[in-house]
Amino acid sequence: MTDILERLKDARNKSELFQLKSELLRKESELSKKENELDTRSLNLNEYEKNTACDIEYHSQSYAAFFNTRMEKDKSILTLSVVGIGYLATFSTLGDEKLDGLELIIFMLASLLFISSIIFVIQIFKLNGDYIRAILVDGSKASDLETKLKNYDRCVLFCFIFGLIFTIVLGYVASEI
């Protein structure tokens, strides 16, 4: 009888172990599925992050190219305005005759326009920095600065072009052609 009891206990223990083993295998299968699911989500998320990073870099480079192009134009106008003032200074001391009457007025206007152009370009450089900061921090302030920049840009072009025109007219008037 004790032998039968022992066998029954062993069978029960084996049955419990088999049930535990089956339950552990089922749980392992579930965990494996969840792990695969998480890996898939992670890959998808990494693709999303990669695409987001590419978009951010693209926009960053676009803004940099835009500002560099705008700055190059302003730098060129600044350089040419300084050259224009140098030309006018050289022109005024060239020859024995002093500038008089109409020549002096045209000389003063051309000089004033080139100096104004330089001052506006320097202001544009300052406003560009403020504008970039405003874009990153406060979008509403950026639109006001953008309007101001456009107005200054028009003033620079106006001053520079008319400075050139007056310099050419001065050369024409002074040569008495």
Side-chain angles (χ1 to χ4, degrees):
M1 184 81 150
T2 54
D3 188 31
I4 294 176
L5 284 175
E6 286 296 320
R7 279 193 224 162
L8 284 174
K9 282 183 185 175
D10 282 342
R12 187 180 57 160
N13 285 342
K14 286 180 183 178
S15 155
E16 286 176 1
L17 286 175
F18 182 72
Q19 285 177 348
L20 284 174
K21 180 181 177 185
S22 296
E23 190 176 327
L24 284 174
L25 287 173
R26 187 177 52 78
K27 293 262 185 191
E28 180 185 23
S29 173
E30 287 176 16
L31 286 174
S32 177
K33 286 179 184 177
K34 287 184 180 181
E35 183 181 15
N36 287 338
E37 208 175 288
L38 287 174
D39 286 343
T40 304
R41 282 185 186 173
S42 175
L43 287 174
N44 290 340
L45 186 61
N46 286 340
E47 280 296 315
Y48 174 75
E49 288 174 349
K50 187 191 299 184
N51 289 338
T52 302
C54 286
D55 287 345
I56 289 171
E57 187 62 25
Y58 173 77
H59 289 294
S60 172
Q61 291 302 320
S62 297
Y63 285 129
F66 171 75
F67 284 115
N68 285 337
T69 303
R70 291 277 311 250
M71 296 295 277
E72 278 302 315
K73 183 185 89 171
D74 293 335
K75 285 184 215 176
S76 298
I77 289 175
L78 178 67
T79 302
L80 291 171
S81 293
V82 170
V83 169
I85 290 174
Y87 174 78
L88 289 171
T90 303
F91 186 82
S92 69
T93 59
L94 195 62
D96 295 335
E97 296 180 24
K98 292 186 177 185
L99 297 176
D100 61 341
L102 182 62
E103 293 172 351
L104 185 59
I105 292 171
I106 295 172
F107 172 81
M108 297 296 273
L109 282 172
S111 297
L112 181 66
L113 287 167
F114 281 132
I115 289 170
S116 297
S117 178
I118 291 169
I119 291 170
F120 280 122
V121 168
I122 291 170
Q123 285 299 314
I124 287 173
F125 287 153
K126 180 192 175 301
L127 286 175
N128 273 339
D130 295 343
Y131 180 66
I132 293 169
R133 237 180 283 126
I135 287 174
L136 298 174
V137 177
D138 183 17
S140 63
K141 191 176 178 185
S143 64
D144 295 338
L145 286 171
E146 186 174 353
T147 304
K148 203 178 223 185
L149 278 168
K150 285 180 182 178
N151 290 336
Y152 277 24
D153 208 29
R154 285 186 200 112
C155 290
V156 164
L157 285 175
F158 174 82
C159 291
F160 180 73
I161 289 171
F162 279 98
L164 283 176
I165 290 170
F166 280 118
T167 302
I168 292 168
V169 168
L170 177 64
Y172 180 76
V173 168
S175 68
E176 298 175 18
I177 295 178

